[in-house]
Amino acid sequence: MTWKKFSGEIIHSSIIEEVENAIIRESDNGYRLKVCIGTDSQVKGPLTDFATVIVLLREHHGGFMYIHQEKTAQKMSIKERMLVEVQKSIETAYSICDLLDLYHVDLEVHADINTNPMFKSNKALNEAMGYILSMGFIFKAKPEAFASSTCADKMVH
């Protein structure tokens, strides 16, 4: 799985190693961190483009992120697509959660799903929330889910 920095620079080490080095570096600089993970997708003709982001927030000092993108030609309903987004975020969260526990860094999983029933994405809200919470992660939906609805969104639009 290829991860990149926002600048487009490809990360050649494992994402776990990269995140660990970032935690150590930022902690040494006196920052308290929180990690937010989210995925967004965009249908472009026959392809769906997914972007998953790991956002490292420095308390009161901005943040930075790592991005993984992939495309699929698989046809999906809006609900399926929302749940695939959540699955990608959970897989990423699961891969780094032990590391974050080790360094006492809080983790949130953000879903690009609207809490307002008037929006199509709301159809997947209950399943997404149940999925994320049952894995033991903190769940955020729109409008609080900036990792998916702002950061990852920028990568697929």
Side-chain angles (χ1 to χ4, degrees):
M1 189 180 276
T2 304
W3 287 87
K4 297 182 295 190
K5 294 182 179 179
F6 187 62
S7 65
E9 179 190 337
I10 292 173
I11 294 161
H12 296 286
S13 58
S14 76
I15 191 61
I16 294 166
E17 202 178 313
E18 180 71 24
V19 170
E20 183 170 29
N21 290 338
I23 291 169
I24 292 167
R25 180 185 69 239
E26 298 299 325
S27 298
D28 287 351
N29 287 330
Y31 295 116
R32 188 175 142 77
L33 294 174
K34 175 165 76 172
V35 170
C36 303
I37 294 173
T39 302
D40 194 15
S41 61
Q42 181 72 35
V43 178
K44 296 175 178 172
L47 296 177
T48 303
D49 188 10
F50 287 93
T52 300
V53 297
I54 301 171
V55 181
L56 282 84
L57 288 180
R58 300 180 196 102
E59 196 171 55
H60 309 299
H61 288 279
F64 54 98
M65 68 179 176
Y66 301 105
I67 304 121
H68 169 72
Q69 282 185 272
E70 58 189 293
K71 294 181 187 331
T72 180
Q74 186 183 338
K75 292 270 180 245
M76 289 177 252
S77 68
I78 182 106
K79 185 174 180 178
E80 274 180 296
R81 192 160 54 92
M82 297 296 114
L83 293 174
V84 169
E85 289 177 8
V86 168
Q87 181 184 353
K88 289 179 182 303
S89 294
I90 286 174
E91 286 169 1
T92 301
Y94 192 74
S95 72
I96 65 168
C97 65
D98 289 346
L99 174 70
L100 300 180
D101 287 348
L102 184 68
Y103 289 98
H104 310 289
V105 175
D106 291 337
L107 169 67
E108 293 177 359
V109 176
H110 292 192
D112 189 37
I113 296 174
N114 209 300
T115 50
N116 182 333
M118 300 215 11
F119 290 85
K120 286 183 192 163
S121 67
N122 184 263
K123 290 182 177 69
L125 181 66
N126 290 341
E127 289 94 330
M129 189 163 55
Y131 191 6
I132 292 167
L133 295 174
S134 71
M135 293 295 289
F137 298 126
I138 294 168
F139 168 80
K140 299 280 185 194
K142 282 181 175 177
E144 298 173 329
F146 66 85
S148 55
S149 55
T150 303
C151 299
D153 177 81
K154 287 201 178 352
M155 306 315 300
V156 292
H157 283 97

